[in-house]
Amino acid sequence: MRSVTGLSILNAAQRQSFDALLSPLPTVSLEQVNQRARMMSRMDRKYVLSSDQCAGILAQLPDETPVMSIGGALSQRYESVYFDTCGLDSYLSAAYGRRKRFKLRTRNYLDSGLSFVEFKHKGPRGLNAKTRVATEFHTGVPDALPQADWAAAQLQRVGVDTAVYPHLPSNRWHSTLTHHFDLPAAA
């Protein structure tokens, strides 16, 4: 089994101290992660940790646990805009732990210039199934949902047939650690 763990960092000061903690780890490229660990269907667990707690967990990881590096950076910036119905169906279904729930967002990877519309829904046995489609790179809150026809088809698959609107923008840094990952042999 291969798994990928993402660590979100909210500000520049945290990013610098966190990158210092990650710098001793071996690195792996985005291409290597995508080749070996396509994580479109996965079990997600998210935790909020203090910097000290995070440092303690990192100290317990095996020395060979790699961190993803893009252009030498161990943390990458991204911006998301979450879309929801006027009745906040997406938010409320997650808040109340409903079995059938969804997320629809745009995600801009600011350092690479890539942009996607992503749709996630809770599948069988609690697995999150994510699909996404590339879209034109943009920053800020879009006036309209990119790839609207594709997004509407995804929403209809889970029984949502009402319009969605941008509700929650977020901007942060993210670091990716991989576990049980086969690193290429050293040359």
Side-chain angles (χ1 to χ4, degrees):
M1 164 176 273
R2 303 189 194 295
S3 63
V4 174
T5 301
L7 303 167
S8 294
I9 304 130
L10 300 177
N11 63 50
Q14 287 175 331
R15 179 187 187 195
Q16 289 176 342
S17 68
F18 195 69
D19 280 359
L21 292 171
L22 295 175
S23 63
L25 298 174
T27 60
V28 63
S29 70
L30 173 62
E31 293 77 19
Q32 289 172 302
V33 171
N34 284 339
Q35 279 177 353
R36 299 180 184 177
R38 298 205 55 92
M39 298 299 290
M40 293 298 189
S41 292
R42 62 184 182 226
M43 179 81 65
D44 283 340
R45 295 280 189 261
K46 295 182 174 88
Y47 303 94
V48 177
L49 303 172
S50 70
S51 296
D52 289 341
Q53 290 170 318
C54 195
I57 290 171
L58 287 173
Q60 295 178 41
L61 292 175
D63 291 341
E64 65 275 4
T65 301
V67 60
M68 185 173 68
S69 173
I70 298 177
L74 302 179
S75 301
Q76 293 76 40
R77 295 176 304 145
Y78 67 82
E79 175 183 77
S80 299
V81 177
Y82 290 84
F83 288 76
D84 206 341
T85 66
C86 284
L88 300 177
D89 294 327
S90 176
Y91 169 76
L92 292 172
S93 65
Y96 290 111
R98 295 191 181 124
R99 228 169 30 101
K100 292 184 178 183
R101 56 185 183 250
F102 70 93
K103 284 184 190 174
L104 179 63
R105 68 183 174 211
T106 57
R107 168 123 332 145
N108 298 309
Y109 295 91
L110 300 176
D111 297 318
S112 67
L114 297 174
S115 187
F116 298 92
V117 176
E118 298 179 345
F119 179 76
K120 291 171 71 172
H121 70 281
K122 209 50 126 166
R125 294 180 297 279
L127 288 178
N128 286 322
K130 181 170 83 171
T131 55
R132 67 184 187 178
V133 62
T135 190
E136 187 175 321
F137 183 78
H138 67 281
T139 59
V141 178
D143 293 332
L145 177 61
Q147 303 289 349
D149 291 340
W150 177 86
Q154 304 309 306
L155 290 166
Q156 286 177 350
R157 283 188 14 215
V158 297
V160 177
D161 59 359
T162 186
V164 294
Y165 304 93
H167 279 273
L168 179 66
S170 70
N171 190 327
R172 60 185 176 209
W173 286 276
H174 188 83
S175 294
T176 301
L177 301 173
T178 61
H179 308 280
H180 309 292
F181 197 94
D182 301 319
L183 286 172

